[in-house]
Amino acid sequence: MLTPVNGGVGAADADDGKRKNAKAKIKDNTGPSVLILFYLEGKSYRDICQELNLSEAVLSQRLVRARKKLLQHFLGKWVDYDERA
């Protein structure tokens, strides 16, 4: 059974809020992050390249770097959680 969170806000609304918060954290100073465009908006490499005026090689490298950065972020959180236990 799903229980309301955040003062009665439903679970779907809470997930939506988490998604918006994640998008805000992922964005970089130059515009929408390639992670947002690729994973959350479901755009193809070709569409992202055209939108950001990048080559596919540059986009590929940016995605690799962004994934590594995200992984490091979550590894840090998991280590902190394990240390508290």
Side-chain angles (χ1 to χ4, degrees), residues 52-63:
L52 299 179
N53 197 26
L54 301 172
S55 70
E56 285 195 24
V58 170
L59 175 60
S60 180
Q61 186 60 42
R62 286 189 183 181
L63 280 167

Side-chain angles (χ1 to χ4, degrees), residues 23-34 36 52 62 69:
K23 278 185 175 182
K25 287 182 179 180
I26 293 172
K27 277 194 173 189
D28 57 10
N29 295 332
T30 60
S33 169
V34 293
I36 291 172
L52 299 179
R62 286 189 183 181
K69 190 180 234 185

Side-chain angles (χ1 to χ4, degrees), residues 61-73:
Q61 186 60 42
R62 286 189 183 181
L63 280 167
V64 167
R65 289 178 182 157
R67 287 182 198 117
K68 284 181 183 179
K69 190 180 234 185
L70 197 57
L71 176 64
Q72 292 303 315
H73 171 76

